[in-house]
Structures are given as structure tokens and as C-alpha cells.
Amino acid sequence: MTPHQRLNRWIEEITSLCEPDAVQLCDGSPEEYQQMMASLTATGVAKPLNPEKRPNSFLVRSDPADVARVESRTFICSDNEQDAGPTNHWADPNEMKAKLTGLFKGCMRGRTMYVIPFSMGPVGSPIAHIGVEISDSPYVVASMHIMTRVGRAVLEELGTDGDFVPCLHSVGQPLQSGDTGAAWPCNPDNLYIAHFPASREIWSFGSGYGGNALLGKKCFALRIASAMARDEGWLAEHMLILKLTNPDGEYRYIAGAFPSACGKTNLAMLVPTIPGWSVETVGDDICWMKFGDDGQLYAINPEAGFFGVAPGTGMDTNPNAMQTLDGNCIFTNVAETDDGDVWWEGMTDTAPAHLIDWRGNDWTPDSDTPAAHPNARFTVSAAQCPAIADEWEDLKGVPISAILFGGRRASVVPLVNEATSWEQGTFFGSIVASEKTAAAAGAIGELRRDPMAMLPFCGYNMADYWQHWINIGQTANAKLPKIYYVNWFRKDLEGQFVWPGFGENARVLEWIFERCAGRADAVETPIGHLPTLDALNFDGLDLTEDAIATLLRVDIQGWLAEIPLIESYYQQFGTNVPPALFDQLQRLSERLEAAAVNVA
Ligand code: O2Y
Ligand code: MN
């Protein structure tokens, strides 16, 4: 079937296990994409949109029971439970394989089994890696066409003995003879998204949606790749990558990790409000970084498309995303307009008078439920983004000058804080959190930690992952990026956001850019380097002195109150926590205590 014997053996093994009616080796061609969309249209799950409004685009409605990644059914199957760590669901690899082998037996009867060779990253890049997904879903094939590089070039790169990550997927709903089955087949009662980091394999059963089924994304590019990166000395991160250019045409590349719902895609496509500055997009979700010969970390976006959340995306929040969506898109679980286009909450200020909602029911602005599912998605090629950087597919990657970590913190955490060392930056990454509940004045709301925004995506013990970050910092001759802890979500005592966010975030990026160039001032504080009042560009912003003070305040008592919370958070990882992080915590505590005494 292919020149690669191990791949051929695997295809044969899975064919005899899953018993499909037919096997199709995918070539990644436009004809193949149209074949998939025609088949989805024929079964009624996809609907072509009005070509005058949205050319070559489709609306897909999933089963209402299959609408999101399911963390509770996501497993890390390492030999020892401790290697998965306390924040992952662990399963014994042999038991999981036995269970899944039973479920996969005959699961593709009546269906075609697609073999999808794909590259995560531009084909031939030394930072890229190859996977092969076997799936019985044409929706997966079409989506993989957009989200990855699929086809012949990948098989050529693989040669006769290249390495690949086997990614096995089934919707888990075989067809009886003569049966056409459900429009969106799935098997939510038998859902498993299983990762085997030691053998670098993924087995996913029962869902056709997003991160559960497009196995190149979260499963490979983060969970399996994070384990590969640990073993091979590189970084696989849940980060956007942007290119920032100043009015003189100097540019730098910045990577940033933010938990879901913190505006990562918006930041990756930001339109700066400050004159002369521009942001271009390299990636909006995942970043792989390897050291170059010059000791710098070079990054690629391993994906080829965006699988973005539609609700909340509009011309006011993300005009670049909206223009990216002009055509050649798959929209999943959005609402349909009467003229054959799509709509979602946040697309326009006023909702159309009538829609068909994501479940296929009539909808009006008086309806009690949202028209689009809150996790409705667009799938679109990154090449269509008007802000895409010319070098986004450079084989050697782009050199990263700065890494941002951020969460949603109403209190305590200032607008921006520069780590004084890689170790302190790793410490910042490890404590990133969002406030689940509103903070009462002077108190901290209940925190949900999401270290490095990797909580659902780390393929091994989170504390070992922190150690890997510390180790990266000790790489000989490394010229490491500076690390920043940013927080766009600070609130005042009335519960109002203090910082305007969106395009104004460019002001923070400007300070970071100038710090990297050695030109901007900072003040040394117990928590790190903060901008001096003059160093951050507030020109033309309608912010009171109080607001600016809130944004840049070192909240000594607030941070002191966090110390025991961080300590008990670390404790759940036992002895795996790197001593360097406890050391950072201890030193932070001492500096805060000293500052508290001085203030008193
Ligand atoms: O619900 C899903 O399957 C998608 S989750 C997702 C999709 C794109 C980018 N990021 C995420 C995420 O959860 O971080
Ligand atoms: Mn993500």
C-alpha cells in the first residue's frame, strides 16, 4: 500500500481488527476534500452554505451528545500511575489496550477506513513530526486536510522507515447491512481518548468531535509531543506565536500560553491601537520549540489551520478572524441564517430575527437557549488569515524572544511582570491560575490552576514537566527567551475590568519588545521586574491614576496570602516538584516578608 513496511503492517492489523468495508489511503487533494464533503452532505450532516455569502463552506451539526473535548474520558496510559501524575486520568496501558481492542473489533463494519498521513509542521522542517491517523469519519478527513498537511508529500518524507505516531480513531458506530446510520455517528457511552506516551500511540473511540477526533491537535501535538519533547530536549506547548513589528520595521517573535477562554486567538491576530506597530500571526494554539545551532529557541506552529471558537468572534473583537472566514470553511454547531449563511452570538450586535439553531430548531431572539452552541467551531486554513506572517511556514521556525504566561486574575496579579530568570519564569508558569469566583475586596477568589495552560494537555506528570522546563533552562549555550506573567483581567473594587484589553494589549507587547531590545525601564520588585510608570505607553488611554496604580501595584499582602496556596498546590505532586520551584517559592516569600516589614 505504501513504501513503508511498518505503516503497511499497522494498516493491515487495524483493517483486520476494525473490519471496514473499504480502505482509502488519503492523498490530501482538493478532490478528496470535496469527496468527503459530498459524502457528509449526502448523509445530511453537512449542508453547503450559500456560495454567494460563504463560498465553498459547510455547516455541520453534530450529535448534541458530542460537542466538546471530554477531559473525564481522556487517559494517559503510562506504565506507572505516578508518571501520569495527579492531574491526569491514568489507566494501565495493557488493560486499556485490551478494553479498546474489544471496542475496536468490527467497529468499522459498513464504513470506509481512511488512512490519513499527516505532518504536524511544514513537511521537511526539522521541528516537524509525522503522524498517521486511521479514522472512519469523513468529517475527520476533511478537517485534517485543513488543520494539518495531509498526503503524498508526507508519505515521501516518511520514506521506507521514517518515524510516525499511529493515531487510531473510530466514531464507534458500525453499520448493519442496508443501514445508513446516524447522520453524526458517535458512541458517547463508550468514550475513550487514550494516550500511550511510551509507545507514542493514540487510540480514540466514540467521538467524532474536535480534540477527541482530530488526533493531530491536542492528542499528538500536545499530549504525546510533550512526552517526546521531554525525552528529546525540546518544548511542545499550548501557546500562540505572534510576530510583533515596531514603527522602525524591527520585529520579534513572542509565544504565549493562556488557558481556554482567555482570548488566545484574539491575541494571536491582534490589531494594535498604537500607531506604527503591527502584529502578524504565526500560530493561535500550539507551539513546538527546538534549539537552533545558535542556542536560540526556534518555534513552528505545527498546525495548518484554526479550529476556533465561533461565539464571541466578531468584527469588533477579532476582525482578522472574521476575514479569514470569508470562504472555504467548515462551521460546526453554529446557527444558520434564512439566506443560507452562518451566525453565532457575538458575530453582530443584533441577532437576526430568525435562525435555525445549532440543533436544527427554529430560533428567534426571544428563545431561551443560544442559537450557536457555546463551543461551536470554525475550521479554516491559516493561510487565509489576512494577518498571517509570511514566514509562518519557514522550515527552520522563528526565533522566540519572549514567552508570556497569563490567566484570568481579578486580583493580586499585575498587568505585566517580567521574570528575573528562566527559573522564576518557570515558577510563574507553574502557578498560573484563573479565579473561578469573584474576589471579595482584599481577598482571592477561588483559584483554578492551569500551569502553563497545559493542565488538560500534558502527557505526563505535570511536576516532571516543570522539571523539564528547568532542565531546558540549563541547556549549554542556550540564549533563552525572557518570560512574562501577564494579566489582562484585573478588576477594580466595583468588579469592573481595569484594563481595556484587545488591541490595547499591544501596549504591553511594546514594553516587552523594548525590554528584549534592552531599551525599556523596569523597577525591581519582590515579585519580578515591573514597568516604571513612564515605560508603559498609556498615551491616549482613558485610565485614571488609580486604575494605573491598580494595574502596576505589587500587592504584597495579596501575594503573601498566595504563598500557602501555592505550597499546598505543589504538595499534591509530592517529591516530583522540582526543588528549584520550592526554592523560588521560598525566596518569593522572603522578599515579600521583607517588603511587608518595610511598608509597616
Ligand atoms: O472542544 C474541542 O474539541 C476543542 S478544544 C480547543 C480547540 C482549539 C483550540 N484550543 C482548544 C482548547 O481547549 O484549548
Ligand atoms: Mn487550545
Side-chain angles (χ1 to χ4, degrees):
M1 202 171 195
T2 77
H4 196 291
Q5 292 316 310
R6 180 163 78 93
L7 174 56
N8 291 346
R9 277 200 302 277
W10 182 58
I11 296 170
E12 278 163 25
E13 183 197 324
I14 299 306
T15 307
S16 72
L17 175 66
C18 299
E19 303 171 21
D21 278 14
V23 177
Q24 181 170 335
L25 178 61
C26 295
D27 62 11
S29 64
E31 295 73 27
E32 184 175 83
Y33 181 82
Q34 294 306 338
Q35 181 208 341
M36 297 304 132
M37 296 318 300
S39 133
L40 292 165
T41 305
T43 56
V45 71
K47 184 170 179 184
L49 294 171
N50 181 344
E52 313 235 305
K53 298 266 167 197
R54 208 70 67 166
N56 189 31
S57 297
F58 296 84
L59 166 61
V60 172
R61 290 194 181 95
S62 79
D63 186 303
D66 192 18
V67 291
R69 282 191 299 107
V70 184
E71 285 172 23
S72 60
R73 304 303 301 162
T74 299
F75 300 90
I76 301 298
C77 308
S78 44
D79 287 338
N80 301 310
E81 186 166 359
Q82 200 179 341
D83 291 336
T87 56
N88 279 314
H89 298 286
W90 175 80
D92 175 87
N94 295 322
E95 284 172 21
M96 181 58 87
K97 279 260 171 87
K99 170 102 198 161
L100 287 177
T101 300
L103 286 172
F104 273 97
K105 185 71 201 148
C107 72
M108 296 187 189
R109 270 182 223 145
R111 298 191 185 277
T112 298
M113 177 179 116
Y114 301 100
V115 180
I116 316 163
F118 64 95
S119 178
M120 295 312 291
V123 178
S125 163
I127 311 179
H129 291 270
I130 287 175
V132 180
E133 176 156 356
I134 289 184
S135 173
D136 53 6
S137 160
Y139 174 81
V140 165
V141 177
S143 303
M144 290 294 281
H145 270 230
I146 297 175
M147 295 303 297
T148 73
R149 284 101 176 156
V150 172
R152 291 205 187 98
V154 179
L155 282 182
E156 273 163 30
E157 179 70 16
L158 207 49
T160 55
D161 61 355
D163 249 353
F164 69 94
V165 171
C167 308
L168 175 56
H169 169 253
S170 173
V171 293
Q173 214 185 86
L175 293 172
Q176 315 300 326
S177 69
D179 181 5
T180 50
W184 179 278
C186 57
N187 190 343
D189 295 336
N190 286 294
L191 186 58
Y192 291 88
I193 302 111
H195 305 74
F196 303 87
S199 55
R200 299 181 178 179
E201 289 172 273
I202 302 157
W203 291 43
S204 166
F205 188 91
S207 165
Y209 195 89
N212 306 328
L214 313 179
L215 301 186
K217 194 171 177 61
K218 304 299 189 180
C219 298
F220 177 178
L222 290 175
R223 297 193 192 97
I224 294 296
S226 60
M228 292 164 66
R230 170 200 56 191
D231 297 344
E232 297 167 4
W234 51 282
L235 292 169
E237 300 300 326
H238 188 205
M239 290 181 184
L240 63 87
I241 310 166
L242 62 82
K243 176 186 183 183
L244 180 63
T245 304
N246 76 5
D248 293 331
E250 286 176 72
Y251 54 84
R252 290 186 179 272
Y253 300 94
I254 298 176
F258 297 83
S260 307
C262 286
K264 203 146 115 259
T265 301
N266 292 352
L267 183 60
M269 299 179 188
L270 176 136
V271 181
T273 51
I274 43 177
W277 288 78
S278 69
V279 165
E280 289 159 88
T281 313
V282 178
D284 81 326
D285 195 39
I286 301 180
C287 167
W288 284 356
M289 288 177 271
K290 293 187 182 174
F291 282 110
D293 294 339
D294 59 1
Q296 294 200 74
L297 277 174
Y298 283 80
I300 60 164
N301 168 10
E303 301 189 278
F306 306 127
F307 184 59
V309 193
T313 306
M315 284 307 284
D316 52 343
T317 57
N318 193 337
N320 282 316
M322 290 306 288
Q323 287 169 58
T324 309
L325 301 178
D326 276 351
N328 313 307
C329 304
I330 301 174
F331 297 96
T332 307
N333 292 340
V334 301
E336 182 187 357
T337 64
D338 290 348
D339 56 359
D341 198 8
V342 287
W343 190 86
W344 50 78
E345 282 72 14
M347 183 198 255
T348 53
D349 287 341
T350 322
H354 176 260
L355 293 164
I356 304 295
D357 74 6
W358 69 277
R359 293 171 186 266
N361 299 323
D362 284 308
W363 186 94
T364 70
D366 293 333
S367 299
D368 294 334
T369 51
H373 186 279
N375 193 38
R377 296 275 163 174
F378 52 77
T379 313
V380 67
S381 166
Q384 287 191 191
C385 178
I388 201 78
D390 285 343
E391 58 275 54
W392 81 283
E393 298 193 279
D394 263 9
L395 299 188
K396 66 176 193 315
V398 295
I400 297 296
S401 297
I403 292 175
L404 318 181
F405 290 122
R408 272 182 176 266
R409 290 300 308 266
S411 64
V412 183
V413 179
L415 178 63
V416 56
N417 180 11
E418 181 188 80
T420 54
S421 65
W422 180 267
E423 287 193 1
Q424 192 185 41
T426 304
F427 169 73
F428 286 165
S430 76
I431 62 167
V432 164
S434 294
E435 258 144 291
K436 283 202 281 190
T437 50
I444 303 167
E446 198 192 338
L447 293 178
R448 181 184 190 274
R449 302 245 173 233
D450 189 352
M452 281 88 166
M454 282 288 277
L455 191 69
F457 306 122
C458 188
Y460 59 103
N461 188 313
M462 182 60 78
D464 295 344
Y465 163 83
W466 296 333
Q467 183 63 57
H468 176 56
W469 266 75
I470 299 287
N471 296 346
I472 285 282
Q474 290 162 358
T475 306
N477 303 320
K479 296 196 191 96
L480 297 163
K482 286 177 176 290
I483 300 180
Y484 297 83
Y485 193 173
V486 299
N487 178 24
W488 320 131
F489 300 99
R490 194 69 193 251
K491 288 187 175 168
D492 61 20
L493 293 176
E494 279 78 50
Q496 300 299 313
F497 287 115
V498 183
W499 181 245
F502 296 103
E504 306 295 3
N505 291 339
R507 296 167 187 273
V508 175
L509 298 183
E510 175 185 4
W511 181 72
I512 291 170
F513 186 105
E514 293 299 324
R515 286 294 291 167
C516 293
R519 295 189 291 245
D521 287 336
V523 36
E524 196 169 333
T525 79
I527 57 171
H529 289 153
L530 264 67
T532 57
L533 268 183
D534 293 340
L536 203 55
N537 176 0
F538 291 114
D539 291 353
L541 263 191
D542 190 18
L543 283 180
T544 62
E545 275 180 24
D546 259 11
I548 293 176
T550 303
L551 290 166
L552 298 182
R553 180 165 48 236
V554 181
D555 179 354
I556 302 287
Q557 292 309 323
W559 277 97
L560 274 171
E562 293 236 340
I563 300 288
L565 304 180
I566 298 169
E567 208 163 6
S568 67
Y569 178 64
Y570 278 173
Q571 239 120 46
Q572 67 171 309
F573 298 95
T575 53
N576 290 57
V577 178
L581 292 191
F582 272 121
D583 186 48
Q584 284 294 329
L585 183 62
Q586 173 67 25
R587 282 156 56 188
L588 173 63
S589 167
E590 285 165 9
R591 290 192 303 271
L592 291 166
E593 294 286 4
V597 170
N598 284 343
V599 170

